[in-house]
Amino acid sequence: MILVATLATAAGTIVPASAQPSTAKPTVVVMDDERIKLAGIELRQAGPASIAKRLTVPGTIVPDAGRVAHVSIKVSGTVADLRKNIGDDVQKDEVLGVLESREVADAKSEYLSAKLSNELQQDLTARDKSLWEGRAVPEQQYIKSRNAAAQTEMRFGIARQKLMALGVSDAEISGLPQAPDGTLRSQNVRAPLSGRIVERKVELGTAVGRDSLETELFVIVDLSRVWVDLAVSATDLPLVREGQNVAVVVRGIPETGLGKITFVSPLLDKDTRTARVVVSLDNAGGRWRPGSFVTAKIAVESHDAAVTIPFAALQTLDGRKTVFVRTKEGFEARNVVLGGRDGPVVEVVSGLAAGETVAASNTFPLKAEVSKPGDED
């Protein structure tokens, strides 16, 4: 009896239902908070959650089409400087390279000439207006001067629009009067969006532009958000609609991605009889790589479950599903009846109440203790 009492009070041993010897297997594992921490057992509280029925579809990660930029040029010239290489991160409007172009030099010279002529004519018109108002010159002279001012202003505006059409930014146009003469032939190539350079198609000294020459210099992709391309069969298509939640998993990545369906094609592929479905997926951490094959689980219907626990908390004892419920002494092995499962979460129909705490990980040692043979086994 002394030996039985000693075993009953030791932490980590099995406590029978009564103090008398019994052949029944015990269901409680004595374990204090310190031993739970040392064993690495994670505790989770049972509670309500939404359980979804999901349609499983294979898919592929692709870049978001709205976040891909092909950086092309609109002038003929030569690559004079390359400031970014493949793999570099860039910010919107950051300079990627510099071209030297006679076409750009001519357009800038035309702009500066038009700007100077316009400023001069505007001053002359203002003077003629003042003289006409003082009756010092005839009205016809003022009208003629005013028409000339309108024409020079129009030519100035056209010269500005021409520069903008060639890709010169507003800030660069404003700084042209103060820019050194040697920079008139230079044209900065800027990033149209923030992202990462995935292609660089030219080298220093490459002739680019028209006449069958290369016009695309870089390809930039923003992968902070990606698409999942799915092919859904015609029989499953009635269950799928835009706005549905989708869980995305891929082998080698423990995390599950959560996205939404943004597009369901109204057309079926004539060969495969499937429709294209696009899921938008957040990729701020960069773990979803375009080209990866994934499994998408589309939530086609859902219900609210009063009691749910992590699926990892379940063990099987004597052919029945069991969880280990935290008690004052340690853990009690309790049989439960399950409902639906949604990924890492499972519904408990009976055997467990909301608010009770269960062991959610590293439960094999607990199962081993409870599974030890009884005295007559």
Side-chain angles (χ1 to χ4, degrees):
M1 294 296 293
I2 296 176
L3 177 59
V4 172
T6 302
L7 292 174
T9 56
T13 59
I14 307 302
V15 177
S18 66
Q20 299 298 325
S22 172
T23 60
K25 291 182 180 180
T27 60
V28 175
V29 179
V30 175
M31 187 174 287
D32 57 22
D33 292 338
E34 183 178 355
R35 286 184 175 271
I36 292 174
K37 184 177 180 180
L38 289 174
I41 297 175
E42 182 183 1
L43 301 178
R44 290 287 184 89
Q45 193 175 65
S50 178
I51 300 295
K53 178 182 178 182
R54 297 184 182 270
L55 174 67
T56 302
V57 182
T60 306
I61 301 293
V62 298
D64 185 329
R67 297 170 181 260
V68 179
H70 296 265
V71 184
S72 301
I73 58 166
K74 305 172 184 178
V75 298
S76 298
T78 303
V79 178
D81 187 17
L82 288 172
R83 301 182 184 180
K84 295 293 180 179
N85 205 343
I86 187 170
D88 290 344
D89 293 322
V90 298
Q91 299 298 318
K92 184 178 180 180
D93 293 328
E94 187 175 359
V95 176
L96 307 177
V98 180
L99 303 179
E100 287 189 350
S101 170
R102 179 177 178 180
E103 186 177 354
V104 171
D106 291 342
K108 288 181 178 179
S109 299
E110 181 182 339
Y111 169 80
L112 292 174
S113 177
K115 183 176 185 298
L116 183 61
S117 297
N118 181 58
E119 290 174 350
L120 178 60
Q121 186 58 53
Q122 296 301 327
D123 290 341
L124 291 174
T125 301
R127 187 200 65 175
D128 287 345
K129 181 181 179 181
S130 178
L131 292 174
W132 170 69
E133 289 174 345
R135 302 289 189 250
V137 296
E139 182 180 7
Q140 189 168 356
Q141 180 175 335
Y142 166 62
I143 293 174
K144 183 179 179 180
S145 180
R146 187 176 62 185
N147 290 340
Q151 291 178 9
T152 58
E153 186 174 7
M154 180 181 66
R155 285 194 291 269
F156 174 61
I158 292 173
R160 179 182 177 85
Q161 290 298 322
K162 184 176 180 179
L163 282 177
M164 295 180 69
L166 292 176
V168 183
S169 67
D170 285 337
E172 290 172 334
I173 293 175
S174 300
L176 281 179
Q178 294 80 36
D181 293 341
T183 63
L184 289 181
R185 64 180 181 273
S186 298
Q187 167 68 18
N188 291 329
V189 179
R190 297 181 180 274
L193 54 74
S194 298
R196 193 174 191 187
I197 295 177
V198 296
E199 287 188 60
R200 197 188 81 178
K201 299 187 175 183
V202 294
E203 303 297 335
L204 284 176
T206 303
V208 293
R210 304 182 185 90
D211 302 326
S212 301
L213 297 176
E214 182 67 68
T215 59
E216 186 174 284
L217 309 186
F218 300 91
V219 178
I220 302 173
V221 179
D222 176 9
L223 294 177
S224 61
R225 181 167 289 275
V226 295
W227 282 354
V228 184
D229 251 350
L230 308 178
V232 179
S233 66
T235 55
D236 292 330
L237 203 56
L239 301 174
V240 178
R241 64 184 182 276
E242 293 176 3
Q244 285 177 319
N245 293 323
V246 180
V248 180
V249 295
V250 63
R251 181 178 297 179
I253 299 180
E255 297 88 357
T256 298
L258 299 177
K260 283 185 179 293
I261 294 177
T262 58
F263 173 72
V264 178
S265 175
L267 306 176
L268 288 177
D269 185 279
K270 64 180 181 180
D271 297 322
T272 63
R273 309 304 297 169
T274 60
R276 185 190 183 206
V277 175
V278 176
V279 177
S280 181
L281 183 65
D282 181 72
N283 191 35
R287 64 181 181 273
W288 305 106
R289 292 181 176 272
S292 301
F293 295 108
V294 299
T295 300
K297 299 180 180 181
I298 305 172
V300 295
E301 61 180 56
S302 63
H303 70 277
D304 293 328
V307 183
T308 63
I309 59 173
F311 185 79
L314 293 171
Q315 290 289 352
T316 301
L317 289 174
D318 297 328
R320 303 189 65 181
K321 294 299 181 183
T322 304
V323 295
F324 292 92
V325 183
R326 182 77 169 107
T327 64
K328 292 182 179 180
E329 295 82 10
F331 291 99
E332 174 192 355
R334 190 183 301 175
N335 295 329
V336 292
V337 178
L338 303 180
R341 178 185 175 184
D342 186 1
V345 179
V346 64
E347 178 184 8
V348 178
V349 177
S350 66
L352 190 67
E356 290 190 288
T357 301
V358 301
S361 65
N362 292 333
T363 57
F364 289 102
L366 302 178
K367 176 182 177 180
E369 287 290 339
V370 174
S371 300
K372 285 182 179 179
D375 294 343
E376 296 183 359
D377 287 354

